[in-house]
Structure formats: structure tokens, C-alpha cells
Amino acid sequence: MTSNSPATLAELREGEEACLDRIDLPEPEARRLMELGFLPGTRIAAARSSPFGDPRVFRVDGSEVALRRETAARLMVRESADIRGG
Amino acid sequence: MSNVPSSSAVVAAHAPEASSASRTVALVGPPNSGKSTLFNRLTGLRQKVANYPGVTVEKRLGRTSLQGQDVLLVDLPGVYSLEPRTEDEQVTHDLLRGRMDDVPKPDAVVLIVDVTNLGRQLTLAGPILSLGLPTLVVLNMADDLKRRGGTVDVDALAEQVGTPVALVSARTGEGLSAVGEFLQGALGVPRPVELPIISNVPSCRQWSAELGKRARYRAPLPSNWTRRLDGVFLHPVAGPLIFVMVVLAVFQTIFQAAVPLMDGVETMIAVSGGWLQSALPESWFRSLLIEGIWGGVGSVVVFLPQILLLFIFIGVLEDSGYMARAALIADRTMAKVGLEGKSFIPLISAYACAIPAILSTRTIANQRDRMATILIAPFMTCSARLPVYTLVIAAFIPEEPVYARTATMIGLYLLGFVAAVLTAAVLKSSVLKSARTPFLLEMPSYRMPTLRSIGLRLLDRAKIFLRRAGTVIMATTIVLWFLASVPLQNGEPPEIAESVAGAIGRTMEPIIEPLGFNWRIGIGIITSLAAREVIVGTLGTIYGMEADEGSLELQSALQSDLTLPGAIALLIYFAFAMQCMSTVAVVRRETGGWKWAIIQFVYMTALGYVCAFAAYRILS
């Protein structure tokens, strides 16, 4: 695939995964996300979304956490990798 | 509820005189790791458990006696760290630091983690061990770990953390003896080990990853069931469709399947009442017993089977893990009115009762969102409305076409939900406007609800219902019976219309007459301020006292009192009005004053009045 790498978690499509680079949110919220496993350097996979497209469930650090698009858009990622058949 | 001494499931031996000063042990762990399940196992209590994060929002105390060692166990809300963000997390934080007035600083800590995701869950181990208290690490959900092919070396982990570790399944009881041994043993302070920088999440996580590695932790395979079920429940088409079908099935069952059971209870009450009537001599006492209590309390107790059926569904919803999915599906709607999806969980629990729902808003981090959720929760159709709705619907809505009654019931549930959402929209765009806090919700794995847990829920629910019938409803019924029996006229009880109760009802009549209600309904509205279902008991008592010979069936008696538009108005009034003093009291406590409690009471009651009036005008 030659598509542009997504820059934020919100741009990941179901089945895609990426590596979290940084969290662009104020300290308390960023901290809570980190406690839930969203640590820079962690691989995160996009799983199912709600039937209406938002929020989406992300697989991170062994568990599944739902985030709204507006929050996912503040989580910057690098180098995405397609999971085949996604 | 708390401080109930009880024998332990672990060690039953008992030697009270040897008991030293009781020690306090706190159960700590991430949300949904099974703290309350373990607490219930150890104390024999029945703290509420369910499969979603944030079930426990306050501390709960329970005693367990282990070979003369009296242990005070404290069940606590789940936390991800020792940096509290919400009110429920604050409780755990304060207790561990010994800042509670009513509970001493714990002598020891039991850290409970979900072993199926050890690395992440042990992120909390660093902060907890840094407290320097004697600690037992409990790896819970051993059954899940085994089934899905994961392993862990318990001894190696104990070596790494410098404190005992036990692999258990609180659900099945497997491995609990180790917990008992810890609780009764000499509590040793953990051997000092190198801890991470506890205020730094990455450092804690890295440390726990290292622990996992040294303990040769092999993570279990992902739960296939969870992915498969989410594939269906969160499917763009199938998901909403299944949701609607489940709702229809629930209502149809509550109506259809409940009928024979309710008839059974009704027969039992009628037969026992008839037996008492013939066994006792004619007296005021017999009248109080038969017309007052049997007629009043009995007509409410009839609804027990229906309420239990509703709770089977609520139990399955909560124990299976679907609740979190429902919150996910509802989030878009919630976002539109300015609330977060997490508010949806209290709103769903409000279908049972607004009071626990209002307590569970403590998990909402944003204070204004929390306040808005408290203010709208009582609009959700609680189980106390069910008897009122069922009675009025059965009396006025024809049985044919088949779905007419079910549709009316669903309509009323929707009405409550719409009122809640619109009220939230108004609040969140005005007085309770706030910046949006991120919605974060951990999705629990699906679990098969066990017969045992559903059975226990029903038992507890039946107890609560019967206790209400035996206290609030019985008390209002007795007061009503007396007020309806005085003043005596020529030594005889008056016609009810001439009694004190009747006078109260008739004083009210001009106010409620525009809604199509007469003075009997007026009395019911007043008594049911105590609790909504009381109106059913009140009408049962009034009709019972009025009937010359034998009691008239409640439904047909009601038909002579109300027209169809009046009946619809009554339903709408009960959908909106705040007819529940316990809720008012809890709102006052949770919002820290009378202000919001009074605003809410006035608003809901006024809305009920205006909408009932409009409905009555339009329909007649």
C-alpha cells in the first residue's frame, strides 16, 4: 500500500495498527490515557467502532479501550502497518 | 449492610476470645478486576458485582473471622493509579492514606489484578508496594487464564515483588485458601525491592513488564468470543437490529410471561385474605388487615414476578459485558447533548432504580457532566413505575391488537428517555456547560452470566421489594386506612369521600381535575410521593374499603374512575413527575445541598403536570 501513513489514531481504519508517538492532550487526560496503556512507543490496533462509526475501540496493551474520534485525533502515531485482509 | 459478622468461605474455625485487635485489610485493584467478587467470597456478603468497570463506587466493610483473627475487609472502588481523578477513586486514595474518619488506616493490602492482562494490571503494583504495607498480590481470573492457554510462575513473581502472590479465581473459589492464610498470618512488610518511579506511568509500566518477563508470564490468547460477539453486537446493521429485537422481547416477556405468575400471586393473596376474613371476627382490626393491608400491600406485591423478570434481563445485561457496548453505541447520542458515553451506564442502571444510578455517577470525572447525569437519571423508567404502568395499561389499553400494550409500555420508556436527553441538552448548553472531557471506556471481555449470580440478584431484589412493601407501602397504607376511617359518624366509619383522606383528596381535586383525575387519584398522587408504586396500594385500599361485599378488582374499579384520556394523562404524569422522596434525599446528599434537589423536584413535577394536562386536553 502506498497510501500516506496516518498521523493520528483517528485516521486508522479497522484492522490497521500503528505506533503511538505522543499524546497531544493536557496532563491529567494524557496521564489517564497512559494508565490505560496508551504509552508512547506502544503499538495500537484499531478494532470495531460503534455501529455509527464513533467512538472506536482500540486494542492497546492487552485490553480494549473505546475513544471518541476527537480524542483519538490527539494521539499522534508514526509508521502504520496494514494487517492483511483488514 | 456493613459490619455484619459472618463466617468466612476460607477458614471457618472460630475462637472469639482469642481475637486480637481486629486488623483492617483493604482490597485494591484496577476496575473490573474482581475485588467485590473476592470480597463477597471472603465475607459472605452480597456486594453488587457486574461485568463493567466502575460497579463499586464507595467503600464497603465486611468482617471475616479466621481462627480467632478478626479481619475487617474493605472493598474499594477500582483505581488505575494512586492519582485520583474521580470521586470514587478519591475514596480508595483517602482510605489507603488513612484519611478516613470511620475506617482506620489499613494494616495490610490485598492487591487484586486480572491475570489475563498481567503486565498492564501490575502497573498499579509499584504505587501500591510503595505504601510499605504488608501486601498480598492476588492474580484473579485463573480460570480464564488457564482456559485460554496462558501461564504464570507464581513463585517467581513473588520473588520479584518481595511479597506473597496467590493465583485464584474469585468466581469459582479456586485458590482462595492462600488468601485466607495471608489474612490470618503474621503480616510481614514486603521485602524491599527496587520500585519504579511511582508518579511516572511509563516507568511503572516498564517495571511491570519486567516482572511479567521474570515470572515467565505467557499471556492468554485473546478471547475469541469477545471478538466474535462484538462482530455481531457492534455490526452497523445487525447491532442496532439485535438491540431493538432484544428490547421488544424484553417488554413482550414482561407483559406476557409475567401474567400467569402475577395471577398466581394474586390468587394467593385473595385466598389468604378471604381466609382471614372468615377466621376473624368483624372489627376495625379486621377491616385494617383486609382492606388496608391485604388490599393495599397485596396489590403491590402482585407485581413481584414482573419486576423479577425485568431484573433477569438487567442481570444478563450487566454480567455479560454488553453494558459497556451499549454505552459505546449510545455515545453518539450522548455526545450530541453534550454528555459523555459514560453517563449512559448510570442511565441504564436507572431502569432498575434511580438511587444506585445517582451513586454510580461518581465515576464521571467532569463535575458538571456528573451533575447533569444526576439531574436526568430519575426520568429513566425505574422499576417502581412498572406496577403503575402495568395496572393502568391493563385497565385501559385493549388486548387487541397484540402489540398495543407492549407498544404503549415501550412508548412510556421512550418518553422518559427523551425527557432525560432533552433536559441534558438544555442543561449542558446553559448552566452546566463545560469543556468536553475525553471519553475513555475499557471494554470488558464478554462473560457468560452464571445462574448463581443471576439467582442471587433476584433473591436480593425480591428482598428489597418485599422490604419496601413491608415498610414504606405498609406504613402509608395504614396511615391512609386511618385517615379514611375518621371522623366516625354515629360510631361508624364514614364514606371515604367524607373522611379526612377524602377531604384531602377533594381539596386537591380542583388542581388535578384539568388532568382528568378525581379525588381518589389525588390521594394516590399524594401517598405515592413516598414511592411511585404506593399509588397502586392506595387505590387497592380505597377500592377495598368502598366495596360493600368482597373487593372489586382493581382494574375494573379504576375504569370507573378514569377515562382513557385521563388514564394516558396519569401515565404521562408518572413518567415525568418526581414521585420518590428517597431519590430527592440522595440527590440532596450527592449534590451537597437542597438547591438542585428542589430544582429537580419542581421541574419534574411541573413537567409531569403540564404534559399530562396537554395530553388530556388533546385527547378529550
Side-chain angles (χ1 to χ4, degrees):
Chain A
M1 291 286 156
T2 53
S3 63
N4 289 339
S5 295
T8 75
L9 213 51
E11 291 157 48
L12 287 189
R13 276 179 312 223
E14 190 175 330
E16 287 182 334
E17 59 176 71
C19 184
L20 183 64
D21 193 30
R22 65 191 161 82
I23 301 173
D24 187 13
L25 280 167
E27 158 67 18
E29 276 111 49
R31 202 192 147 85
R32 179 44 50 95
L33 279 163
M34 290 198 278
E35 288 168 3
L36 282 160
F38 291 90
L39 288 165
T42 311
R43 297 203 71 78
I44 299 169
R48 289 244 162 223
S49 71
S50 139
F52 309 108
D54 186 30
R56 181 178 288 287
V57 176
F58 294 95
R59 285 199 191 103
V60 55
D61 200 2
S63 60
E64 302 198 328
V65 180
L67 298 182
R68 278 184 186 165
R69 186 180 296 279
E70 62 193 30
T71 309
R74 312 293 286 276
L75 276 73
M76 309 299 157
V77 297
R78 52 175 193 248
E79 45 123 353
S80 81
D82 275 310
I83 286 182
R84 240 164 290 161
Chain B
M1 266 185 293
S2 55
N3 293 327
V4 179
S6 60
S7 70
S8 149
V10 181
V11 185
H14 200 62
E17 73 279 9
S19 106
S20 53
S22 103
R23 49 171 70 154
T24 307
V25 178
L27 302 183
V28 192
N32 214 27
S33 61
K35 294 170 294 299
S36 298
T37 310
L38 182 68
F39 176 83
N40 288 351
R41 278 272 174 192
L42 293 173
T43 59
L45 296 179
R46 301 244 195 86
Q47 162 78 307
K48 177 175 176 180
V49 291
N51 183 20
Y52 60 89
V55 179
T56 305
V57 292
E58 45 191 351
K59 63 175 190 300
R60 272 298 165 87
L61 308 180
R63 262 174 213 288
T64 178
S65 230
L66 302 151
Q67 301 197 339
Q69 180 74 55
D70 202 14
V71 178
L72 180 67
L73 279 174
V74 191
D75 186 24
L76 291 167
V79 291
Y80 291 106
S81 67
L82 291 184
E83 312 254 332
R85 248 167 50 105
T86 58
E87 201 146 318
D88 59 324
E89 293 172 359
Q90 188 71 44
V91 171
T92 304
H93 188 257
D94 290 350
L95 186 114
L96 288 176
R97 296 249 145 69
R99 289 191 204 136
M100 291 254 164
D101 300 332
D102 49 346
V103 184
K105 185 171 184 210
D107 303 296
V109 171
V110 176
L111 170 66
I112 298 144
V113 299
D114 175 356
V115 72
T116 64
N117 189 12
L118 189 68
R120 224 218 54 215
Q121 297 254 312
L122 277 183
T123 312
L124 188 59
I128 294 295
L129 289 171
S130 76
L131 296 170
L133 294 167
T135 304
L136 171 71
V137 178
V138 168
L139 310 178
N140 192 16
M141 311 199 191
D143 50 336
D144 262 13
L145 182 77
K146 209 183 298 169
R147 187 152 23 82
R148 280 158 42 195
T151 52
V152 63
D153 183 338
V154 174
D155 295 333
L157 185 62
E159 179 63 30
Q160 289 303 314
V161 292
T163 197
V165 176
L167 183 63
V168 314
S169 168
R171 197 156 64 132
T172 63
E174 175 192 336
L176 286 186
S177 55
V179 181
E181 278 162 28
F182 171 79
L183 294 177
Q184 66 178 301
L187 300 177
V189 175
R191 186 166 48 73
V193 290
E194 204 177 315
L195 291 176
I197 308 159
I198 60 148
S199 58
N200 181 315
V201 185
S203 161
C204 289
R205 180 63 187 91
Q206 214 167 11
W207 184 73
S208 71
E210 194 58 36
L211 289 181
K213 217 179 285 169
R214 299 244 171 104
R216 292 185 287 283
Y217 175 63
R218 201 173 73 210
L221 297 170
S223 161
N224 276 331
W225 271 113
T226 294
R227 292 198 181 174
R228 251 179 255 161
L229 287 174
D230 272 345
V232 178
F233 290 140
L234 298 181
H235 188 274
V237 183
L241 209 64
I242 290 175
F243 180 80
V244 171
M245 275 160 49
V246 169
V247 170
L248 289 177
V250 170
F251 284 109
Q252 200 64 21
T253 312
I254 287 175
F255 255 117
Q256 304 297 331
V259 171
L261 296 169
M262 287 166 64
D263 286 348
V265 178
E266 201 169 11
T267 308
M268 272 161 52
I269 291 168
V271 167
S272 57
W275 180 82
L276 270 179
Q277 173 109 26
S278 55
L280 294 171
E282 160 103 56
S283 66
W284 66 268
F285 179 72
R286 187 178 82 171
S287 164
L288 169 64
L289 205 61
I290 305 294
E291 288 148 11
I293 296 173
W294 247 252
V297 179
S299 49
V300 180
V301 170
V302 168
F303 291 91
L304 179 63
Q306 193 180 33
I307 283 173
L308 292 186
L309 275 174
L310 176 71
F311 274 86
I312 293 180
F313 287 105
I314 292 180
V316 170
L317 200 69
E318 291 191 339
D319 287 359
S320 63
Y322 185 74
M323 190 75 133
R325 276 75 189 179
L328 185 70
I329 294 172
D331 182 63
R332 270 251 307 219
T333 314
M334 302 304 280
K336 273 196 195 117
V337 300
L339 284 173
E340 61 168 309
K342 245 187 168 172
S343 297
F344 195 65
I345 291 179
L347 292 187
I348 294 185
S349 27
Y351 280 127
C353 174
I355 292 165
I358 287 167
L359 296 181
S360 71
T361 62
R362 292 179 187 175
T363 61
I364 298 171
N366 183 313
Q367 280 308 304
R368 294 181 155 218
D369 279 5
R370 181 177 170 216
M371 193 70 89
T373 311
I374 290 176
L375 294 177
I376 65 175
F379 276 123
M380 306 302 279
T381 304
C382 64
S383 58
R385 285 178 175 103
L386 203 51
V388 186
Y389 288 177
T390 306
L391 173 67
V392 178
I393 288 175
F396 289 94
I397 307 295
E399 224 166 333
E400 296 292 328
V402 189
Y403 291 110
R405 289 179 173 183
T406 308
T408 311
M409 186 66 102
I410 293 178
L412 288 165
Y413 272 74
L414 279 178
L415 199 63
F417 182 71
V418 169
V421 164
L422 292 181
T423 304
V426 171
L427 288 170
K428 287 301 296 175
S429 62
S430 56
V431 281
L432 292 176
K433 203 172 193 162
S434 65
R436 299 232 290 221
T437 36
F439 163 67
L440 309 169
L441 186 63
E442 210 178 339
M443 297 281 128
S445 295
Y446 286 101
R447 288 170 177 279
M448 191 56 141
T450 61
L451 275 180
R452 183 188 139 85
S453 86
I454 301 281
L456 287 179
R457 271 165 186 272
L458 293 189
L459 200 63
D460 289 344
R461 183 46 57 173
K463 273 190 202 157
I464 293 173
F465 181 84
L466 293 176
R467 195 184 309 134
R468 265 167 84 116
T471 53
V472 179
I473 297 171
M474 173 100 83
T476 48
T477 301
I478 292 174
V479 171
L480 173 71
W481 183 88
F482 275 108
L483 292 182
S485 307
V486 288
L488 293 181
Q489 290 169 348
N490 312 321
E492 290 289 311
E495 290 285 306
I496 294 190
E498 309 299 323
S499 70
V500 173
I504 296 172
R506 278 184 305 143
T507 313
M508 246 193 105
E509 209 165 25
I511 310 172
I512 55 173
E513 194 270 320
L515 315 184
F517 308 158
N518 63 15
W519 59 272
R520 292 190 193 84
I521 306 288
I523 297 175
I525 286 178
I526 291 179
T527 55
S528 65
L529 278 171
R532 293 181 175 89
E533 68 269 41
V534 171
I535 190 174
V536 175
T538 296
L539 292 174
T541 302
I542 297 178
Y543 295 140
M545 292 173 83
E546 283 183 337
D548 298 331
E549 226 20 71
S551 70
L552 197 55
E553 207 205 331
L554 199 46
Q555 282 178 28
S556 32
L558 197 57
Q559 281 163 356
S560 65
D561 251 354
L562 279 171
T563 56
L564 178 64
I568 302 284
L570 186 63
L571 289 173
I572 290 176
Y573 182 79
F574 269 84
F576 294 150
M578 171 66 104
Q579 299 281 110
C580 180
M581 281 308 134
S582 325
T583 305
V584 175
V586 167
V587 170
R588 189 195 71 85
R589 201 182 73 197
E590 294 293 306
T591 60
W594 281 111
K595 183 182 145 199
W596 284 108
I598 290 170
I599 290 174
Q600 180 183 39
F601 178 83
V602 171
Y603 167 67
M604 289 182 71
T605 305
L607 188 69
Y609 186 89
V610 170
C611 293
F613 173 75
Y616 183 66
R617 279 293 111 139
I618 292 164
L619 292 170
S620 25

